[in-house]
Amino acid sequence: MHFKNFDIAAFLGNSWQKKPLLIKNPWAAWANPLEPDELAGLACEEGVESRLITQPDAVWKLEHGPLAEDRFDSLGNKNWTLLVQAVDQHVPTVAALIEPFRFIPNWRIDDVMVSFAADGGGVGPHFDQYDVFLIQGSGRRRWKVGGRCDVQSALLPHDDLRLLANFEAAETFICEPGDIVYIPPGYSHEGVALGDNCMTYSIGFRAPSRSELIGDWCDDLLADMQGDDRYGDPDLAIQNNPGEISTSAVDRLHAMITDKMGNREAFSRWFGEYSSTPKYPEMDWQPDEKIEMEDLREQLQQGAQLARNPASRFSFIRRESSKFFLFVDGRSIECGGDTIPFAETLCAKALLTIDEQQTNSNSVMALILDMYNRGSLAFEPQD
Ligand code: SIN
Ligand code: CO
């Protein structure tokens, strides 16, 4: 699946994080990647996050999955929607929908949520914290998009749903299969299915809040700190007033914090590990039996391709000192020589063919072996 008519540079310059946009079917050939029955099946599975939103008697109701299979029998053909989170982790054709959006860095990408709605179904007027591309898979949906909201925006009283009390649309888009609506963080929106078979794919992004970032970075720092690393003042001088916390004491106390928290090298390595930690670690691709180097090399020499586990996140940081860290599944791996171009390709491509120079390189092969045996990579099934 790829774009035929989509100007990425213009999108980034004019719309990304700035304003909503309707992108009329930009695909070379749009094909809906998932059947409604398969989505319903996922919503019945343990370990898959799903929600069912209904509006009986105009009252919004939320149920969490896993749903009983016969739950769908009594829903009727109006005013309900089923939403399943992270479908990309379960269905490769849905994971492939992320690929055209790789102009946004890997670490910003979250997952693909898929919704199915009966005529009139939707989740109500709301706003999200993150950017989202809403791809119309099948059927039609009317999107109404309003202005920017924030934590002060009034919500309807509801225990489970965060619906806006006052929603005014500034724009209305009618989406047909293949059309995409982009919504920046905070913009109010409401999508309502027009007719049957309305499926929408939400490519969601993530961005850490300052409080998450500070809290999680501090937790990591604290884990390595010793209780005896304490304030000291062997140069204590006589003060005029014992009540004063002196400038030199404040400087020294403040430095105790900034020395640790201001360490950019340590921060960047921690952030790479942190942001590559899988959200759904249960997507375990670890082989039952570890593969041996000889077997791995032979299969790759015969042209076997490697696929990235959709739950694994791959990224890297290049340091000025020519240091290069690859981050996979919450781990950092320092690369050098041949492993640098290999790691660059690994981060850029979902499917890898390993060339002769790489199968002959012990360091590249050791890296592949390690990732294969940990379940970050697996052979792509040949058909
Ligand atoms: C939907 O697919 O119905 C909801 C997506 C959204 O508004 O975030
Ligand atoms: Co939304």
Side-chain angles (χ1 to χ4, degrees), residues 47-119:
V48 176
E49 219 179 303
S50 62
R51 287 169 294 158
L52 178 67
I53 298 181
T54 50
Q55 301 151 63
D57 318 315
V59 183
W60 293 94
K61 212 174 144 232
L62 168 75
E63 290 164 57
H64 287 284
L67 302 173
E69 273 178 43
D70 60 6
R71 181 66 187 95
F72 296 101
D73 302 343
S74 56
L75 285 171
N77 55 5
K78 285 253 188 290
N79 301 349
W80 61 268
T81 184
L82 169 72
L83 303 114
V84 183
Q85 219 62 45
V87 178
D88 54 305
Q89 315 267 315
H90 307 282
V91 184
T93 50
V94 173
L97 279 185
I98 299 176
E99 293 316 304
F101 297 94
R102 293 278 179 202
F103 57 88
I104 309 292
N106 294 352
W107 72 268
R108 291 280 269 116
I109 293 175
D110 192 9
D111 59 22
V112 185
M113 180 183 81
V114 186
S115 70
F116 174 87
D119 185 26

Side-chain angles (χ1 to χ4, degrees), residues 12-35:
L12 290 177
N14 302 328
S15 304
W16 174 251
Q17 297 239 306
K18 298 168 198 72
K19 55 180 193 206
L21 180 72
L22 169 67
I23 306 158
K24 279 306 267 178
N25 196 345
W27 307 90
W30 173 254
N32 186 31
L34 188 69
E35 289 303 319

Side-chain angles (χ1 to χ4, degrees), residues 216-234:
D216 292 344
W217 166 228
C218 284
D219 284 347
D220 185 77
L221 289 174
L222 288 174
D224 286 340
M225 272 181 210
Q226 307 301 327
D228 60 359
D229 179 6
R230 192 173 291 278
Y231 178 81
D233 48 7

